[in-house]
Amino acid sequence: MSWLPMLGLTALPHLGGLYGGYVTRKQVKTWYTTLNKPSWRPNNAAFPIVWTTLYTGMGYGSYLVWKECGGFTEDAVVPLGFYGLQLALNWAWTPIFFGAHKLKMALIEIVMLTGAVGATMVSWYPVNRTASLLLTPYLAWLCLATSLNYCIWRDNPDEDEKEE
């Protein structure tokens, strides 16, 4: 049963991904198609593949930190606290962007998310270098996603006002 924490912590981020997929599914085919988007944006088919990979890496990284700290101990409060913060911010972005169609709010939120991921990486590094490095592709993807969110917000100025 020593594999249960590894499996559970690796799977945990996927729960938000499943909910995000539910929120996004209809919007990608309807509302999202009406937005002006930059030519360099990734193909829609790439997103589920990328997020599955990123969620697995961050989840396994959280397991490595949890294990190195001896579980949910005092030593784990800061690194797993930052992890929990970034995970909550990650899960919140999709309902803001795709659910509420709040492009500016989503942009502000993803900037905070990117900062929280950076803080998580810094707090994980002294605990487990591998765990910290597992977040590198995630941080890189967030830089791309933040740029994409910014361009969509900039190129669809009336979108936020329609919903109010």
Side-chain angles (χ1 to χ4, degrees), residues 5 19 23 25 27 29 33 45 62 66 70 80 84 104 109 114 116 135 142 144 148 150 152-153 159 162-164:
Y19 175 69
V23 170
R25 183 175 296 119
Q27 298 299 319
K29 296 175 184 170
T33 61
S62 75
W66 175 86
L80 293 181
K104 184 177 181 180
E109 200 275 356
T114 303
L135 296 180
L142 285 175
L144 174 83
L148 180 58
Y150 169 76
I152 292 173
W153 169 71
E159 193 61 33
K162 285 181 192 174
E163 302 298 322
E164 294 175 7

Side-chain angles (χ1 to χ4, degrees), residues 3 18-19 26 37-38 48 53 68 84 90 94 102 124 139 146:
W3 53 270
L18 290 171
Y19 175 69
K26 180 182 170 192
K37 295 173 284 299
T53 304
E68 196 71 35
N90 178 296
T94 300
K102 298 293 185 186
W124 282 14
L139 187 63
T146 302

Side-chain angles (χ1 to χ4, degrees), residues 49-156:
I49 297 164
V50 169
W51 279 111
T52 299
T53 304
L54 297 176
Y55 282 142
T56 301
M58 77 172 78
Y60 185 68
S62 75
Y63 164 73
L64 293 175
V65 170
W66 175 86
K67 183 178 170 188
E68 196 71 35
C69 290
F72 295 111
T73 62
E74 190 173 323
D75 292 338
V77 168
V78 171
L80 293 181
F82 276 126
Y83 175 70
L85 171 64
Q86 74 79 28
L87 195 56
L89 288 168
N90 178 296
W91 290 350
W93 184 87
T94 300
I96 295 168
F97 187 91
F98 283 102
H101 305 168
K102 298 293 185 186
L103 305 180
K104 184 177 181 180
M105 177 82 71
L107 178 60
I108 293 165
E109 200 275 356
I110 201 169
V111 168
M112 293 188 319
L113 168 59
T114 303
V117 171
T120 303
M121 291 177 74
V122 168
S123 72
W124 282 14
Y125 194 84
V127 177
N128 188 299
R129 183 178 176 201
T130 300
S132 181
L133 294 175
L134 281 170
L135 296 180
T136 304
Y138 178 32
L139 187 63
W141 181 261
L142 285 175
C143 290
L144 174 83
T146 302
S147 300
L148 180 58
N149 192 153
Y150 169 76
C151 289
I152 292 173
W153 169 71
R154 179 197 65 200
D155 296 343
N156 297 277

Side-chain angles (χ1 to χ4, degrees), residues 5-62:
M6 187 260 309
L7 185 62
L9 290 169
T10 301
L12 177 64
H14 293 277
L15 296 177
L18 290 171
Y19 175 69
Y22 174 76
V23 170
T24 304
R25 183 175 296 119
K26 180 182 170 192
Q27 298 299 319
V28 165
K29 296 175 184 170
T30 56
W31 170 76
Y32 190 67
T33 61
T34 67
L35 298 176
N36 297 315
K37 295 173 284 299
S39 61
W40 50 264
R41 74 175 169 79
N43 185 291
N44 289 345
F47 287 86
I49 297 164
V50 169
W51 279 111
T52 299
T53 304
L54 297 176
Y55 282 142
T56 301
M58 77 172 78
Y60 185 68
S62 75

